[in-house]
PDB file of all heavy atoms in Angstrom:
ATOM      1  N   SER G 955       0.833  -1.202   0.000  1.00 47.00           N
ATOM      2  CA  SER G 955       0.000   0.000   0.000  1.00 47.00           C
ATOM      3  C   SER G 955       0.867   1.251   0.000  1.00 47.00           C
ATOM      4  O   SER G 955       0.555   2.237  -0.663  1.00 47.00           O
ATOM      5  CB  SER G 955      -0.941   0.003   1.209  1.00 47.00           C
ATOM      6  OG  SER G 955      -0.212   0.112   2.418  1.00 47.00           O
ATOM      7  N   PHE G 956       1.978   1.223   0.754  1.00 51.00           N
ATOM      8  CA  PHE G 956       2.886   2.371   0.778  1.00 51.00           C
ATOM      9  C   PHE G 956       3.545   2.574  -0.579  1.00 51.00           C
ATOM     10  O   PHE G 956       3.754   3.704  -1.025  1.00 51.00           O
ATOM     11  CB  PHE G 956       3.961   2.186   1.855  1.00 51.00           C
ATOM     12  CG  PHE G 956       3.507   2.564   3.234  1.00 51.00           C
ATOM     13  CD1 PHE G 956       3.480   1.630   4.256  1.00 51.00           C
ATOM     14  CD2 PHE G 956       3.081   3.856   3.507  1.00 51.00           C
ATOM     15  CE1 PHE G 956       3.055   1.986   5.521  1.00 51.00           C
ATOM     16  CE2 PHE G 956       2.646   4.210   4.776  1.00 51.00           C
ATOM     17  CZ  PHE G 956       2.635   3.277   5.779  1.00 51.00           C
ATOM     18  N   CYS G 957       3.847   1.484  -1.251  1.00 49.00           N
ATOM     19  CA  CYS G 957       4.502   1.561  -2.563  1.00 49.00           C
ATOM     20  C   CYS G 957       3.535   2.075  -3.626  1.00 49.00           C
ATOM     21  O   CYS G 957       3.929   2.812  -4.536  1.00 49.00           O
ATOM     22  CB  CYS G 957       5.038   0.189  -2.968  1.00 49.00           C
ATOM     23  SG  CYS G 957       6.416  -0.394  -1.945  1.00 49.00           S
ATOM     24  N   CYS G 958       2.274   1.675  -3.508  1.00 45.00           N
ATOM     25  CA  CYS G 958       1.300   2.025  -4.539  1.00 45.00           C
ATOM     26  C   CYS G 958       0.710   3.420  -4.356  1.00 45.00           C
ATOM     27  O   CYS G 958       0.233   4.021  -5.320  1.00 45.00           O
ATOM     28  CB  CYS G 958       0.150   1.009  -4.544  1.00 45.00           C
ATOM     29  SG  CYS G 958       0.650  -0.635  -5.083  1.00 45.00           S
ATOM     30  N   ALA G 959       0.747   3.932  -3.120  1.00 47.00           N
ATOM     31  CA  ALA G 959       0.116   5.222  -2.839  1.00 47.00           C
ATOM     32  C   ALA G 959       0.609   6.347  -3.738  1.00 47.00           C
ATOM     33  O   ALA G 959      -0.202   7.078  -4.324  1.00 47.00           O
ATOM     34  CB  ALA G 959       0.302   5.590  -1.375  1.00 47.00           C
ATOM     35  N   PRO G 960       1.934   6.542  -3.893  1.00 52.00           N
ATOM     36  CA  PRO G 960       2.408   7.623  -4.778  1.00 52.00           C
ATOM     37  C   PRO G 960       1.931   7.457  -6.217  1.00 52.00           C
ATOM     38  O   PRO G 960       1.611   8.437  -6.892  1.00 52.00           O
ATOM     39  CB  PRO G 960       3.938   7.526  -4.674  1.00 52.00           C
ATOM     40  CG  PRO G 960       4.192   6.845  -3.367  1.00 52.00           C
ATOM     41  CD  PRO G 960       3.072   5.868  -3.232  1.00 52.00           C
ATOM     42  N   LEU G 961       1.877   6.205  -6.684  1.00 48.00           N
ATOM     43  CA  LEU G 961       1.427   5.939  -8.050  1.00 48.00           C
ATOM     44  C   LEU G 961      -0.042   6.304  -8.209  1.00 48.00           C
ATOM     45  O   LEU G 961      -0.439   6.915  -9.207  1.00 48.00           O
ATOM     46  CB  LEU G 961       1.647   4.471  -8.398  1.00 48.00           C
ATOM     47  CG  LEU G 961       1.171   4.019  -9.793  1.00 48.00           C
ATOM     48  CD1 LEU G 961       1.894   4.821 -10.873  1.00 48.00           C
ATOM     49  CD2 LEU G 961       1.399   2.526  -9.972  1.00 48.00           C
ATOM     50  N   LEU G 962      -0.859   5.949  -7.203  1.00 50.00           N
ATOM     51  CA  LEU G 962      -2.283   6.262  -7.268  1.00 50.00           C
ATOM     52  C   LEU G 962      -2.516   7.769  -7.252  1.00 50.00           C
ATOM     53  O   LEU G 962      -3.357   8.286  -7.988  1.00 50.00           O
ATOM     54  CB  LEU G 962      -3.014   5.608  -6.093  1.00 50.00           C
ATOM     55  CG  LEU G 962      -3.103   4.088  -6.116  1.00 50.00           C
ATOM     56  CD1 LEU G 962      -3.746   3.569  -4.837  1.00 50.00           C
ATOM     57  CD2 LEU G 962      -3.893   3.611  -7.326  1.00 50.00           C
ATOM     58  N   VAL G 963      -1.756   8.487  -6.415  1.00 56.00           N
ATOM     59  CA  VAL G 963      -1.880   9.944  -6.358  1.00 56.00           C
ATOM     60  C   VAL G 963      -1.503  10.553  -7.694  1.00 56.00           C
ATOM     61  O   VAL G 963      -2.177  11.452  -8.210  1.00 56.00           O
ATOM     62  CB  VAL G 963      -1.004  10.524  -5.229  1.00 56.00           C
ATOM     63  CG1 VAL G 963      -0.944  12.047  -5.325  1.00 56.00           C
ATOM     64  CG2 VAL G 963      -1.533  10.095  -3.865  1.00 56.00           C
ATOM     65  N   ALA G 964      -0.411  10.070  -8.291  1.00 67.00           N
ATOM     66  CA  ALA G 964       0.039  10.585  -9.586  1.00 67.00           C
ATOM     67  C   ALA G 964      -1.015  10.344 -10.659  1.00 67.00           C
ATOM     68  O   ALA G 964      -1.275  11.224 -11.499  1.00 67.00           O
ATOM     69  CB  ALA G 964       1.359   9.923  -9.982  1.00 67.00           C
ATOM     70  N   GLN G 965      -1.644   9.164 -10.620  1.00 71.00           N
ATOM     71  CA  GLN G 965      -2.677   8.849 -11.604  1.00 71.00           C
ATOM     72  C   GLN G 965      -3.900   9.750 -11.421  1.00 71.00           C
ATOM     73  O   GLN G 965      -4.494  10.207 -12.396  1.00 71.00           O
ATOM     74  CB  GLN G 965      -3.079   7.376 -11.480  1.00 71.00           C
ATOM     75  CG  GLN G 965      -1.995   6.407 -11.944  1.00 71.00           C
ATOM     76  CD  GLN G 965      -2.369   4.964 -11.694  1.00 71.00           C
ATOM     77  OE1 GLN G 965      -3.218   4.650 -10.864  1.00 71.00           O
ATOM     78  NE2 GLN G 965      -1.723   4.055 -12.423  1.00 71.00           N
ATOM     79  N   GLU G 966      -4.267  10.005 -10.147  1.00 80.00           N
ATOM     80  CA  GLU G 966      -5.401  10.885  -9.871  1.00 80.00           C
ATOM     81  C   GLU G 966      -5.100  12.311 -10.336  1.00 80.00           C
ATOM     82  O   GLU G 966      -5.957  12.984 -10.913  1.00 80.00           O
ATOM     83  CB  GLU G 966      -5.715  10.867  -8.372  1.00 80.00           C
ATOM     84  CG  GLU G 966      -6.290   9.542  -7.885  1.00 80.00           C
ATOM     85  CD  GLU G 966      -6.444   9.500  -6.379  1.00 80.00           C
ATOM     86  OE1 GLU G 966      -6.028  10.482  -5.715  1.00 80.00           O
ATOM     87  OE2 GLU G 966      -6.965   8.506  -5.863  1.00 80.00           O
ATOM     88  N   ASN G 967      -3.877  12.784 -10.082  1.00 82.00           N
ATOM     89  CA  ASN G 967      -3.489  14.130 -10.513  1.00 82.00           C
ATOM     90  C   ASN G 967      -3.490  14.240 -12.025  1.00 82.00           C
ATOM     91  O   ASN G 967      -3.941  15.252 -12.587  1.00 82.00           O
ATOM     92  CB  ASN G 967      -2.108  14.481  -9.956  1.00 82.00           C
ATOM     93  CG  ASN G 967      -2.126  14.733  -8.463  1.00 82.00           C
ATOM     94  OD1 ASN G 967      -3.193  14.839  -7.850  1.00 82.00           O
ATOM     95  ND2 ASN G 967      -0.959  14.815  -7.857  1.00 82.00           N
ATOM     96  N   ASP G 968      -2.983  13.223 -12.703  1.00 87.00           N
ATOM     97  CA  ASP G 968      -2.983  13.221 -14.168  1.00 87.00           C
ATOM     98  C   ASP G 968      -4.409  13.297 -14.704  1.00 87.00           C
ATOM     99  O   ASP G 968      -4.681  13.986 -15.691  1.00 87.00           O
ATOM    100  CB  ASP G 968      -2.295  11.962 -14.707  1.00 87.00           C
ATOM    101  CG  ASP G 968      -0.780  12.026 -14.577  1.00 87.00           C
ATOM    102  OD1 ASP G 968      -0.252  13.123 -14.293  1.00 87.00           O
ATOM    103  OD2 ASP G 968      -0.121  10.982 -14.758  1.00 87.00           O
ATOM    104  N   ALA G 969      -5.325  12.594 -14.039  1.00 89.00           N
ATOM    105  CA  ALA G 969      -6.732  12.598 -14.481  1.00 89.00           C
ATOM    106  C   ALA G 969      -7.334  13.988 -14.332  1.00 89.00           C
ATOM    107  O   ALA G 969      -8.091  14.440 -15.196  1.00 89.00           O
ATOM    108  CB  ALA G 969      -7.535  11.574 -13.681  1.00 89.00           C
ATOM    109  N   LEU G 970      -7.002  14.690 -13.248  1.00 86.00           N
ATOM    110  CA  LEU G 970      -7.521  16.040 -13.040  1.00 86.00           C
ATOM    111  C   LEU G 970      -6.960  17.014 -14.078  1.00 86.00           C
ATOM    112  O   LEU G 970      -7.682  17.856 -14.613  1.00 86.00           O
ATOM    113  CB  LEU G 970      -7.169  16.527 -11.629  1.00 86.00           C
ATOM    114  CG  LEU G 970      -7.876  15.811 -10.475  1.00 86.00           C
ATOM    115  CD1 LEU G 970      -7.353  16.312  -9.137  1.00 86.00           C
ATOM    116  CD2 LEU G 970      -9.382  16.014 -10.558  1.00 86.00           C
ATOM    117  N   VAL G 971      -5.671  16.885 -14.366  1.00 90.00           N
ATOM    118  CA  VAL G 971      -5.048  17.755 -15.371  1.00 90.00           C
ATOM    119  C   VAL G 971      -5.655  17.493 -16.743  1.00 90.00           C
ATOM    120  O   VAL G 971      -5.946  18.427 -17.500  1.00 90.00           O
ATOM    121  CB  VAL G 971      -3.519  17.542 -15.404  1.00 90.00           C
ATOM    122  CG1 VAL G 971      -2.893  18.301 -16.578  1.00 90.00           C
ATOM    123  CG2 VAL G 971      -2.889  18.018 -14.099  1.00 90.00           C
ATOM    124  N   ARG G 972      -5.885  16.229 -17.071  1.00 90.00           N
ATOM    125  CA  ARG G 972      -6.497  15.886 -18.359  1.00 90.00           C
ATOM    126  C   ARG G 972      -7.916  16.431 -18.454  1.00 90.00           C
ATOM    127  O   ARG G 972      -8.395  16.743 -19.548  1.00 90.00           O
ATOM    128  CB  ARG G 972      -6.489  14.367 -18.570  1.00 90.00           C
ATOM    129  CG  ARG G 972      -5.126  13.795 -18.939  1.00 90.00           C
ATOM    130  CD  ARG G 972      -5.287  12.398 -19.533  1.00 90.00           C
ATOM    131  NE  ARG G 972      -5.968  11.491 -18.615  1.00 90.00           N
ATOM    132  CZ  ARG G 972      -5.341  10.767 -17.693  1.00 90.00           C
ATOM    133  NH1 ARG G 972      -4.036  10.854 -17.561  1.00 90.00           N
ATOM    134  NH2 ARG G 972      -6.029   9.959 -16.898  1.00 90.00           N
ATOM    135  N   LYS G 973      -8.587  16.562 -17.313  1.00 90.00           N
ATOM    136  CA  LYS G 973      -9.945  17.116 -17.317  1.00 90.00           C
ATOM    137  C   LYS G 973      -9.924  18.554 -17.834  1.00 90.00           C
ATOM    138  O   LYS G 973     -10.804  18.966 -18.598  1.00 90.00           O
ATOM    139  CB  LYS G 973     -10.536  17.057 -15.902  1.00 90.00           C
ATOM    140  CG  LYS G 973     -11.971  17.534 -15.825  1.00 90.00           C
ATOM    141  CD  LYS G 973     -12.558  17.322 -14.435  1.00 90.00           C
ATOM    142  CE  LYS G 973     -12.760  15.852 -14.147  1.00 90.00           C
ATOM    143  NZ  LYS G 973     -13.522  15.654 -12.883  1.00 90.00           N
ATOM    144  N   VAL G 974      -8.903  19.320 -17.433  1.00 90.00           N
ATOM    145  CA  VAL G 974      -8.752  20.688 -17.938  1.00 90.00           C
ATOM    146  C   VAL G 974      -8.430  20.660 -19.421  1.00 90.00           C
ATOM    147  O   VAL G 974      -8.996  21.416 -20.226  1.00 90.00           O
ATOM    148  CB  VAL G 974      -7.658  21.441 -17.160  1.00 90.00           C
ATOM    149  CG1 VAL G 974      -7.524  22.876 -17.675  1.00 90.00           C
ATOM    150  CG2 VAL G 974      -7.978  21.457 -15.672  1.00 90.00           C
ATOM    151  N   ASP G 975      -7.481  19.795 -19.804  1.00 88.00           N
ATOM    152  CA  ASP G 975      -7.117  19.668 -21.218  1.00 88.00           C
ATOM    153  C   ASP G 975      -8.355  19.359 -22.056  1.00 88.00           C
ATOM    154  O   ASP G 975      -8.607  20.009 -23.080  1.00 88.00           O
ATOM    155  CB  ASP G 975      -6.089  18.544 -21.404  1.00 88.00           C
ATOM    156  CG  ASP G 975      -4.741  18.862 -20.785  1.00 88.00           C
ATOM    157  OD1 ASP G 975      -4.484  20.051 -20.513  1.00 88.00           O
ATOM    158  OD2 ASP G 975      -3.947  17.930 -20.576  1.00 88.00           O
ATOM    159  N   ASP G 976      -9.127  18.375 -21.629  1.00 89.00           N
ATOM    160  CA  ASP G 976     -10.303  17.953 -22.397  1.00 89.00           C
ATOM    161  C   ASP G 976     -11.340  19.074 -22.471  1.00 89.00           C
ATOM    162  O   ASP G 976     -11.963  19.288 -23.518  1.00 89.00           O
ATOM    163  CB  ASP G 976     -10.937  16.709 -21.763  1.00 89.00           C
ATOM    164  CG  ASP G 976     -10.065  15.472 -21.908  1.00 89.00           C
ATOM    165  OD1 ASP G 976      -9.154  15.485 -22.757  1.00 89.00           O
ATOM    166  OD2 ASP G 976     -10.271  14.506 -21.146  1.00 89.00           O
ATOM    167  N   HIS G 977     -11.516  19.772 -21.363  1.00 89.00           N
ATOM    168  CA  HIS G 977     -12.512  20.841 -21.331  1.00 89.00           C
ATOM    169  C   HIS G 977     -12.219  21.903 -22.376  1.00 89.00           C
ATOM    170  O   HIS G 977     -13.097  22.287 -23.153  1.00 89.00           O
ATOM    171  CB  HIS G 977     -12.555  21.476 -19.936  1.00 89.00           C
ATOM    172  CG  HIS G 977     -13.598  22.531 -19.787  1.00 89.00           C
ATOM    173  ND1 HIS G 977     -14.893  22.251 -19.407  1.00 89.00           N
ATOM    174  CD2 HIS G 977     -13.567  23.880 -19.988  1.00 89.00           C
ATOM    175  CE1 HIS G 977     -15.590  23.359 -19.368  1.00 89.00           C
ATOM    176  NE2 HIS G 977     -14.822  24.376 -19.711  1.00 89.00           N
ATOM    177  N   TYR G 978     -10.981  22.363 -22.414  1.00 87.00           N
ATOM    178  CA  TYR G 978     -10.644  23.453 -23.326  1.00 87.00           C
ATOM    179  C   TYR G 978     -10.360  22.979 -24.746  1.00 87.00           C
ATOM    180  O   TYR G 978     -10.526  23.750 -25.698  1.00 87.00           O
ATOM    181  CB  TYR G 978      -9.481  24.266 -22.765  1.00 87.00           C
ATOM    182  CG  TYR G 978      -9.939  25.118 -21.606  1.00 87.00           C
ATOM    183  CD1 TYR G 978      -9.754  24.697 -20.300  1.00 87.00           C
ATOM    184  CD2 TYR G 978     -10.631  26.306 -21.827  1.00 87.00           C
ATOM    185  CE1 TYR G 978     -10.218  25.447 -19.235  1.00 87.00           C
ATOM    186  CE2 TYR G 978     -11.102  27.065 -20.775  1.00 87.00           C
ATOM    187  CZ  TYR G 978     -10.894  26.635 -19.477  1.00 87.00           C
ATOM    188  OH  TYR G 978     -11.376  27.376 -18.425  1.00 87.00           O
ATOM    189  N   ASN G 979      -9.973  21.735 -24.914  1.00 86.00           N
ATOM    190  CA  ASN G 979      -9.773  21.225 -26.272  1.00 86.00           C
ATOM    191  C   ASN G 979     -11.092  21.064 -27.015  1.00 86.00           C
ATOM    192  O   ASN G 979     -11.108  20.987 -28.242  1.00 86.00           O
ATOM    193  CB  ASN G 979      -9.023  19.887 -26.236  1.00 86.00           C
ATOM    194  CG  ASN G 979      -7.554  20.065 -25.891  1.00 86.00           C
ATOM    195  OD1 ASN G 979      -6.989  21.141 -26.118  1.00 86.00           O
ATOM    196  ND2 ASN G 979      -6.930  19.040 -25.342  1.00 86.00           N
ATOM    197  N   HIS G 980     -12.200  21.024 -26.273  1.00 86.00           N
ATOM    198  CA  HIS G 980     -13.510  20.919 -26.914  1.00 86.00           C
ATOM    199  C   HIS G 980     -14.185  22.270 -27.083  1.00 86.00           C
ATOM    200  O   HIS G 980     -15.315  22.345 -27.560  1.00 86.00           O
ATOM    201  CB  HIS G 980     -14.418  19.976 -26.114  1.00 86.00           C
ATOM    202  CG  HIS G 980     -14.069  18.526 -26.275  1.00 86.00           C
ATOM    203  ND1 HIS G 980     -13.145  17.885 -25.471  1.00 86.00           N
ATOM    204  CD2 HIS G 980     -14.483  17.603 -27.165  1.00 86.00           C
ATOM    205  CE1 HIS G 980     -13.028  16.627 -25.858  1.00 86.00           C
ATOM    206  NE2 HIS G 980     -13.835  16.422 -26.880  1.00 86.00           N
ATOM    207  N   LEU G 981     -13.508  23.333 -26.689  1.00 88.00           N
ATOM    208  CA  LEU G 981     -14.049  24.672 -26.861  1.00 88.00           C
ATOM    209  C   LEU G 981     -13.565  25.283 -28.169  1.00 88.00           C
ATOM    210  O   LEU G 981     -12.441  25.052 -28.591  1.00 88.00           O
ATOM    211  CB  LEU G 981     -13.609  25.592 -25.718  1.00 88.00           C
ATOM    212  CG  LEU G 981     -14.227  25.401 -24.347  1.00 88.00           C
ATOM    213  CD1 LEU G 981     -13.753  26.501 -23.406  1.00 88.00           C
ATOM    214  CD2 LEU G 981     -15.736  25.400 -24.422  1.00 88.00           C
ATOM    215  N   SER G 982     -14.437  26.073 -28.787  1.00 91.00           N
ATOM    216  CA  SER G 982     -14.026  26.836 -29.962  1.00 91.00           C
ATOM    217  C   SER G 982     -13.911  28.321 -29.632  1.00 91.00           C
ATOM    218  O   SER G 982     -13.153  29.054 -30.273  1.00 91.00           O
ATOM    219  CB  SER G 982     -15.026  26.644 -31.106  1.00 91.00           C
ATOM    220  OG  SER G 982     -16.323  27.099 -30.722  1.00 91.00           O
ATOM    221  N   SER G 983     -14.637  28.761 -28.588  1.00 93.00           N
ATOM    222  CA  SER G 983     -14.608  30.167 -28.209  1.00 93.00           C
ATOM    223  C   SER G 983     -15.085  30.315 -26.772  1.00 93.00           C
ATOM    224  O   SER G 983     -15.694  29.404 -26.196  1.00 93.00           O
ATOM    225  CB  SER G 983     -15.485  31.007 -29.142  1.00 93.00           C
ATOM    226  OG  SER G 983     -16.843  30.639 -29.006  1.00 93.00           O
ATOM    227  N   LEU G 984     -14.808  31.498 -26.209  1.00 93.00           N
ATOM    228  CA  LEU G 984     -15.184  31.761 -24.829  1.00 93.00           C
ATOM    229  C   LEU G 984     -15.355  33.262 -24.627  1.00 93.00           C
ATOM    230  O   LEU G 984     -14.570  34.064 -25.138  1.00 93.00           O
ATOM    231  CB  LEU G 984     -14.099  31.243 -23.880  1.00 93.00           C
ATOM    232  CG  LEU G 984     -14.253  31.567 -22.391  1.00 93.00           C
ATOM    233  CD1 LEU G 984     -15.393  30.753 -21.790  1.00 93.00           C
ATOM    234  CD2 LEU G 984     -12.952  31.290 -21.651  1.00 93.00           C
ATOM    235  N   ARG G 985     -16.391  33.644 -23.877  1.00 96.00           N
ATOM    236  CA  ARG G 985     -16.560  35.020 -23.437  1.00 96.00           C
ATOM    237  C   ARG G 985     -16.705  35.006 -21.917  1.00 96.00           C
ATOM    238  O   ARG G 985     -17.429  34.176 -21.370  1.00 96.00           O
ATOM    239  CB  ARG G 985     -17.797  35.665 -24.067  1.00 96.00           C
ATOM    240  CG  ARG G 985     -18.047  37.100 -23.554  1.00 96.00           C
ATOM    241  CD  ARG G 985     -19.360  37.688 -24.048  1.00 96.00           C
ATOM    242  NE  ARG G 985     -19.290  38.064 -25.457  1.00 96.00           N
ATOM    243  CZ  ARG G 985     -19.979  37.485 -26.437  1.00 96.00           C
ATOM    244  NH1 ARG G 985     -20.790  36.476 -26.144  1.00 96.00           N
ATOM    245  NH2 ARG G 985     -19.875  37.886 -27.677  1.00 96.00           N
ATOM    246  N   ALA G 986     -16.003  35.918 -21.241  1.00 94.00           N
ATOM    247  CA  ALA G 986     -16.092  35.962 -19.782  1.00 94.00           C
ATOM    248  C   ALA G 986     -15.812  37.369 -19.286  1.00 94.00           C
ATOM    249  O   ALA G 986     -15.141  38.166 -19.957  1.00 94.00           O
ATOM    250  CB  ALA G 986     -15.098  34.981 -19.157  1.00 94.00           C
ATOM    251  N   HIS G 987     -16.337  37.675 -18.110  1.00 96.00           N
ATOM    252  CA  HIS G 987     -15.968  38.920 -17.426  1.00 96.00           C
ATOM    253  C   HIS G 987     -14.746  38.609 -16.563  1.00 96.00           C
ATOM    254  O   HIS G 987     -14.653  37.545 -15.966  1.00 96.00           O
ATOM    255  CB  HIS G 987     -17.123  39.406 -16.546  1.00 96.00           C
ATOM    256  CG  HIS G 987     -16.784  40.641 -15.756  1.00 96.00           C
ATOM    257  ND1 HIS G 987     -16.235  40.579 -14.499  1.00 96.00           N
ATOM    258  CD2 HIS G 987     -16.886  41.956 -16.070  1.00 96.00           C
ATOM    259  CE1 HIS G 987     -16.023  41.814 -14.059  1.00 96.00           C
ATOM    260  NE2 HIS G 987     -16.414  42.665 -14.996  1.00 96.00           N
ATOM    261  N   TYR G 988     -13.798  39.528 -16.520  1.00 93.00           N
ATOM    262  CA  TYR G 988     -12.607  39.310 -15.712  1.00 93.00           C
ATOM    263  C   TYR G 988     -12.355  40.493 -14.787  1.00 93.00           C
ATOM    264  O   TYR G 988     -12.709  41.631 -15.074  1.00 93.00           O
ATOM    265  CB  TYR G 988     -11.365  39.071 -16.587  1.00 93.00           C
ATOM    266  CG  TYR G 988     -10.886  40.298 -17.342  1.00 93.00           C
ATOM    267  CD1 TYR G 988     -10.015  41.208 -16.756  1.00 93.00           C
ATOM    268  CD2 TYR G 988     -11.334  40.548 -18.635  1.00 93.00           C
ATOM    269  CE1 TYR G 988      -9.592  42.339 -17.455  1.00 93.00           C
ATOM    270  CE2 TYR G 988     -10.914  41.665 -19.339  1.00 93.00           C
ATOM    271  CZ  TYR G 988     -10.037  42.550 -18.738  1.00 93.00           C
ATOM    272  OH  TYR G 988      -9.635  43.673 -19.408  1.00 93.00           O
ATOM    273  N   THR G 989     -11.746  40.182 -13.648  1.00 94.00           N
ATOM    274  CA  THR G 989     -11.230  41.191 -12.732  1.00 94.00           C
ATOM    275  C   THR G 989      -9.734  40.935 -12.599  1.00 94.00           C
ATOM    276  O   THR G 989      -9.327  39.805 -12.305  1.00 94.00           O
ATOM    277  CB  THR G 989     -11.900  41.101 -11.358  1.00 94.00           C
ATOM    278  OG1 THR G 989     -13.311  41.295 -11.500  1.00 94.00           O
ATOM    279  CG2 THR G 989     -11.347  42.169 -10.423  1.00 94.00           C
ATOM    280  N   GLU G 990      -8.943  41.947 -12.832  1.00 91.00           N
ATOM    281  CA  GLU G 990      -7.482  41.828 -12.783  1.00 91.00           C
ATOM    282  C   GLU G 990      -6.957  42.664 -11.621  1.00 91.00           C
ATOM    283  O   GLU G 990      -7.232  43.857 -11.523  1.00 91.00           O
ATOM    284  CB  GLU G 990      -6.865  42.318 -14.095  1.00 91.00           C
ATOM    285  CG  GLU G 990      -5.346  42.349 -14.094  1.00 91.00           C
ATOM    286  CD  GLU G 990      -4.779  42.960 -15.369  1.00 91.00           C
ATOM    287  OE1 GLU G 990      -5.539  43.079 -16.365  1.00 91.00           O
ATOM    288  OE2 GLU G 990      -3.595  43.332 -15.369  1.00 91.00           O
ATOM    289  N   SER G 991      -6.208  42.029 -10.731  1.00 93.00           N
ATOM    290  CA  SER G 991      -5.615  42.731  -9.587  1.00 93.00           C
ATOM    291  C   SER G 991      -4.107  42.617  -9.663  1.00 93.00           C
ATOM    292  O   SER G 991      -3.571  41.532  -9.924  1.00 93.00           O
ATOM    293  CB  SER G 991      -6.112  42.127  -8.262  1.00 93.00           C
ATOM    294  OG  SER G 991      -7.521  42.210  -8.174  1.00 93.00           O
ATOM    295  N   TYR G 992      -3.431  43.733  -9.428  1.00 92.00           N
ATOM    296  CA  TYR G 992      -1.960  43.753  -9.483  1.00 92.00           C
ATOM    297  C   TYR G 992      -1.417  44.422  -8.236  1.00 92.00           C
ATOM    298  O   TYR G 992      -1.909  45.474  -7.808  1.00 92.00           O
ATOM    299  CB  TYR G 992      -1.477  44.514 -10.725  1.00 92.00           C
ATOM    300  CG  TYR G 992       0.035  44.721 -10.753  1.00 92.00           C
ATOM    301  CD1 TYR G 992       0.880  43.724 -11.214  1.00 92.00           C
ATOM    302  CD2 TYR G 992       0.599  45.913 -10.298  1.00 92.00           C
ATOM    303  CE1 TYR G 992       2.263  43.900 -11.235  1.00 92.00           C
ATOM    304  CE2 TYR G 992       1.977  46.102 -10.316  1.00 92.00           C
ATOM    305  CZ  TYR G 992       2.803  45.091 -10.778  1.00 92.00           C
ATOM    306  OH  TYR G 992       4.169  45.266 -10.792  1.00 92.00           O
ATOM    307  N   ALA G 993      -0.395  43.793  -7.627  1.00 95.00           N
ATOM    308  CA  ALA G 993       0.285  44.370  -6.471  1.00 95.00           C
ATOM    309  C   ALA G 993       1.782  44.180  -6.665  1.00 95.00           C
ATOM    310  O   ALA G 993       2.267  43.052  -6.772  1.00 95.00           O
ATOM    311  CB  ALA G 993      -0.179  43.706  -5.179  1.00 95.00           C
ATOM    312  N   GLY G 994       2.522  45.296  -6.708  1.00 90.00           N
ATOM    313  CA  GLY G 994       3.958  45.215  -6.899  1.00 90.00           C
ATOM    314  C   GLY G 994       4.530  46.533  -7.369  1.00 90.00           C
ATOM    315  O   GLY G 994       3.791  47.410  -7.847  1.00 90.00           O
ATOM    316  N   MET G 995       5.852  46.696  -7.212  1.00 85.00           N
ATOM    317  CA  MET G 995       6.534  47.909  -7.651  1.00 85.00           C
ATOM    318  C   MET G 995       5.894  49.153  -7.031  1.00 85.00           C
ATOM    319  O   MET G 995       5.799  50.212  -7.659  1.00 85.00           O
ATOM    320  CB  MET G 995       6.518  48.016  -9.183  1.00 85.00           C
ATOM    321  CG  MET G 995       7.201  46.853  -9.877  1.00 85.00           C
ATOM    322  SD  MET G 995       7.135  46.954 -11.689  1.00 85.00           S
ATOM    323  CE  MET G 995       8.088  48.458 -11.981  1.00 85.00           C
ATOM    324  N   GLY G 996       5.403  49.013  -5.784  1.00 86.00           N
ATOM    325  CA  GLY G 996       4.796  50.142  -5.094  1.00 86.00           C
ATOM    326  C   GLY G 996       3.413  50.497  -5.575  1.00 86.00           C
ATOM    327  O   GLY G 996       2.886  51.559  -5.222  1.00 86.00           O
TER     328      GLY G 996
END
């Protein structure tokens, strides 16, 4: 179980990342409202 745990976590993380890939690879366009905040250089 200790040996397999890191592998299972890696597989779960890969699945989550692929979910983002799949979501946007099936999009042709997007419109959204955005708020941009910047803090730096005083």
Side-chain angles (χ1 to χ4, degrees):
S955 66
F956 278 119
C957 292
C958 292
L961 178 60
L962 291 175
V963 170
Q965 290 175 339
E966 291 174 356
N967 288 350
D968 285 348
L970 292 175
V971 172
R972 285 197 302 272
K973 183 174 290 189
V974 181
D975 292 342
D976 291 343
H977 183 88
Y978 286 98
N979 287 335
H980 286 88
L981 287 186
S982 61
S983 65
L984 174 72
R985 177 187 286 114
H987 177 270
Y988 70 86
T989 300
E990 175 185 344
S991 301
Y992 173 83
M995 300 178 64

